[in-house]
Each structure stands twice: as structure tokens, then as C-alpha cells.
Amino acid sequence: MLADARPEVVVHLAAVVGGIGANMATPGAFFYENALMGIQLIEEAAKPALSASYASALCAPTPSTHPRRSRKSDLWNGYPEETNAPYGLAKKMLLVQLQAYRSNRFRGRLPASR
């Protein structure tokens, strides 16, 4: 799909969500679905035939001990809040993927999400 559309920018805002109860009932599914969706999208956006930039929104990845308004620098300060940790960690892994691609595989073509 991306190869046909050839977008200049890809903004990934999709997620499999369901609230605290669903996160606690099926944490593996939330981790798997969100990680896989983002990993595949980043991989496709990074292919040489497509010179798109990629942006991602991170949500709920900071520990519950942090203030409501966390700073970007708080992202890696502890384990995410327990009730949605699998979802939050899946989103963090996308940041790791973007940083790895940016520094090595794609020579800076993909900006790390902010």
C-alpha cells in the first residue's frame, strides 16, 4: 500500500486499545498487535523505494509514579504503569526501532519520534 501511495510522511497513530480492563485481561495480545503493527509500518516506510519520513505518537509509556505531565526525558525512567505496561512497552520498542534504523540502516532518513 505505501509503495503505491508513495507518501512523503507517514504518521502512525493507530493502536489496538481497550482500556485498563482489556489491557489486564489480554496483555500479550496488546503487546503483540501494537508492536507488530508499528514494526511492519516502520519497515515499509523505510524501504529504499519509499523515501518517507515517519512519526509516531507514544502513549502511556511512563511509570505511574511520574507526574501527570511527564517530560520527554522521563520516558525511560522506570517500568510503565502495570495495567498497561505491555501496550506502553510495545510503543517504546517502536522508538528503539526508529533510533536503530536512523543510526545505522537508513543513515538518518527516518527521524526518531518525539
Side-chain angles (χ1 to χ4, degrees), residues 7-11 45 51-55 109-111:
E8 292 181 25
V9 175
V10 176
V11 178
S51 59
S53 293
Y54 178 90
R109 199 174 67 207
L110 294 176

mmCIF file of all heavy atoms in Angstrom, residues 7-11 45 51-55 109-111:
data_model
loop_
_atom_site.group_PDB
_atom_site.id
_atom_site.type_symbol
_atom_site.label_atom_id
_atom_site.label_comp_id
_atom_site.label_asym_id
_atom_site.label_seq_id
_atom_site.Cartn_x
_atom_site.Cartn_y
_atom_site.Cartn_z
ATOM 1 N N PRO A 7 3.773 8.109 -0.014
ATOM 2 C CA PRO A 7 3.615 9.327 0.791
ATOM 3 C C PRO A 7 4.963 9.931 1.150
ATOM 4 O O PRO A 7 5.976 9.246 1.179
ATOM 5 C CB PRO A 7 2.910 8.811 2.050
ATOM 6 C CG PRO A 7 3.371 7.403 2.168
ATOM 7 C CD PRO A 7 3.502 6.905 0.755
ATOM 8 N N GLU A 8 4.966 11.221 1.413
ATOM 9 C CA GLU A 8 6.177 11.895 1.861
ATOM 10 C C GLU A 8 6.367 11.720 3.364
ATOM 11 O O GLU A 8 7.487 11.716 3.854
ATOM 12 C CB GLU A 8 6.109 13.383 1.527
ATOM 13 C CG GLU A 8 6.169 13.649 0.032
ATOM 14 C CD GLU A 8 6.113 15.134 -0.273
ATOM 15 O OE1 GLU A 8 6.505 15.946 0.598
ATOM 16 O OE2 GLU A 8 5.682 15.483 -1.377
ATOM 17 N N VAL A 9 5.274 11.612 4.102
ATOM 18 C CA VAL A 9 5.321 11.456 5.548
ATOM 19 C C VAL A 9 4.317 10.378 5.949
ATOM 20 O O VAL A 9 3.212 10.327 5.417
ATOM 21 C CB VAL A 9 4.957 12.781 6.268
ATOM 22 C CG1 VAL A 9 4.889 12.584 7.771
ATOM 23 C CG2 VAL A 9 5.948 13.868 5.916
ATOM 24 N N VAL A 10 4.715 9.537 6.890
ATOM 25 C CA VAL A 10 3.822 8.536 7.460
ATOM 26 C C VAL A 10 3.683 8.864 8.943
ATOM 27 O O VAL A 10 4.677 8.911 9.659
ATOM 28 C CB VAL A 10 4.385 7.105 7.292
ATOM 29 C CG1 VAL A 10 3.493 6.091 7.987
ATOM 30 C CG2 VAL A 10 4.554 6.769 5.818
ATOM 31 N N VAL A 11 2.467 9.104 9.387
ATOM 32 C CA VAL A 11 2.202 9.383 10.792
ATOM 33 C C VAL A 11 1.400 8.203 11.339
ATOM 34 O O VAL A 11 0.288 7.949 10.890
ATOM 35 C CB VAL A 11 1.417 10.703 10.976
ATOM 36 C CG1 VAL A 11 1.118 10.946 12.447
ATOM 37 C CG2 VAL A 11 2.187 11.860 10.375
ATOM 38 N N ALA A 45 7.920 1.879 5.590
ATOM 39 C CA ALA A 45 8.235 3.289 5.349
ATOM 40 C C ALA A 45 9.720 3.491 5.091
ATOM 41 O O ALA A 45 10.118 4.455 4.452
ATOM 42 C CB ALA A 45 7.802 4.142 6.538
ATOM 43 N N SER A 51 10.758 7.057 0.105
ATOM 44 C CA SER A 51 11.598 7.953 0.911
ATOM 45 C C SER A 51 10.736 8.786 1.854
ATOM 46 O O SER A 51 10.799 10.001 1.867
ATOM 47 C CB SER A 51 12.428 8.850 -0.004
ATOM 48 O OG SER A 51 11.584 9.609 -0.827
ATOM 49 N N ALA A 52 9.913 8.110 2.643
ATOM 50 C CA ALA A 52 9.022 8.799 3.571
ATOM 51 C C ALA A 52 9.685 8.986 4.920
ATOM 52 O O ALA A 52 10.510 8.195 5.335
ATOM 53 C CB ALA A 52 7.734 7.996 3.747
ATOM 54 N N SER A 53 9.309 10.051 5.586
ATOM 55 C CA SER A 53 9.660 10.228 6.984
ATOM 56 C C SER A 53 8.573 9.552 7.806
ATOM 57 O O SER A 53 7.466 9.345 7.338
ATOM 58 C CB SER A 53 9.730 11.703 7.337
ATOM 59 O OG SER A 53 10.804 12.302 6.659
ATOM 60 N N TYR A 54 8.883 9.241 9.039
ATOM 61 C CA TYR A 54 7.955 8.517 9.896
ATOM 62 C C TYR A 54 7.825 9.230 11.222
ATOM 63 O O TYR A 54 8.811 9.699 11.773
ATOM 64 C CB TYR A 54 8.480 7.093 10.119
ATOM 65 C CG TYR A 54 7.625 6.271 11.021
ATOM 66 C CD1 TYR A 54 6.597 5.515 10.528
ATOM 67 C CD2 TYR A 54 7.840 6.279 12.402
ATOM 68 C CE1 TYR A 54 5.797 4.757 11.364
ATOM 69 C CE2 TYR A 54 7.043 5.533 13.246
ATOM 70 C CZ TYR A 54 6.025 4.775 12.720
ATOM 71 O OH TYR A 54 5.236 4.040 13.550
ATOM 72 N N ALA A 55 6.614 9.308 11.725
ATOM 73 C CA ALA A 55 6.379 9.883 13.046
ATOM 74 C C ALA A 55 5.450 8.966 13.814
ATOM 75 O O ALA A 55 4.574 8.337 13.236
ATOM 76 C CB ALA A 55 5.751 11.265 12.917
ATOM 77 N N ARG A 109 17.583 8.883 7.504
ATOM 78 C CA ARG A 109 16.405 9.248 6.731
ATOM 79 C C ARG A 109 15.137 9.217 7.561
ATOM 80 O O ARG A 109 14.191 9.929 7.296
ATOM 81 C CB ARG A 109 16.264 8.312 5.530
ATOM 82 C CG ARG A 109 15.374 8.920 4.479
ATOM 83 C CD ARG A 109 15.325 8.092 3.231
ATOM 84 N NE ARG A 109 14.669 6.838 3.527
ATOM 85 C CZ ARG A 109 14.885 5.713 2.885
ATOM 86 N NH1 ARG A 109 15.746 5.670 1.923
ATOM 87 N NH2 ARG A 109 14.252 4.613 3.207
ATOM 88 N N LEU A 110 15.109 8.380 8.586
ATOM 89 C CA LEU A 110 13.924 8.294 9.436
ATOM 90 C C LEU A 110 14.170 9.049 10.735
ATOM 91 O O LEU A 110 15.037 8.669 11.503
ATOM 92 C CB LEU A 110 13.617 6.834 9.771
ATOM 93 C CG LEU A 110 13.204 5.947 8.618
ATOM 94 C CD1 LEU A 110 13.030 4.519 9.096
ATOM 95 C CD2 LEU A 110 11.931 6.455 7.988
ATOM 96 N N PRO A 111 13.431 10.114 10.981
ATOM 97 C CA PRO A 111 13.623 10.803 12.259
ATOM 98 C C PRO A 111 13.017 9.990 13.386
ATOM 99 O O PRO A 111 11.966 9.380 13.218
ATOM 100 C CB PRO A 111 12.843 12.105 12.058
ATOM 101 C CG PRO A 111 11.831 11.772 11.024
ATOM 102 C CD PRO A 111 12.424 10.726 10.132
#
